Amino acid sequence: GVTEIDWDETKVKRAMMDASNEVMSLVISEKLNTTQPYIIGETRRVSTLVTSLPKRDPLLQPYNELGIEII
């Protein structure tokens, strides 16, 4: 899922995700496939993932399989 290290940030991001029809996530490669203590929402809620990795990078395979657009 989408996670956060800070509880206050989690509450804000959770509210934004819940109020949105589409969710874009900006992520650096070092944070892919890692978890933090607080859950914002499920990965399937993300419609677009923005990263510096190439679209076919093996780290992105789980997101490609979920049908998440990779930019």
Side-chain angles (χ1 to χ4, degrees):
V2 182
T3 60
E4 172 63 56
I5 196 166
D6 180 88
W7 175 241
D8 291 328
E9 288 287 323
T10 299
K11 292 186 289 185
V12 170
K13 291 177 180 180
R14 193 179 286 165
M16 290 183 342
M17 183 181 266
D18 288 343
S20 300
N21 292 325
E22 291 188 44
V23 176
M24 293 183 82
S25 180
L26 304 164
V27 64
I28 59 173
S29 60
E30 292 83 11
K31 288 191 176 185
L32 280 171
N33 304 321
T34 66
T35 59
Q36 298 298 327
Y38 301 110
I39 299 171
I40 297 169
E42 296 181 29
T43 305
R44 65 178 177 77
R45 291 285 319 276
V46 176
S47 52
T48 306
L49 186 70
V50 180
T51 180
S52 61
L53 294 172
K55 290 182 179 187
R56 298 291 175 211
D57 189 290
L59 282 174
L60 298 173
Q61 183 178 353
Y63 308 97
N64 282 312
E65 290 175 359
L66 286 172
I68 297 172
E69 178 184 15
I70 309 293
I71 297 177

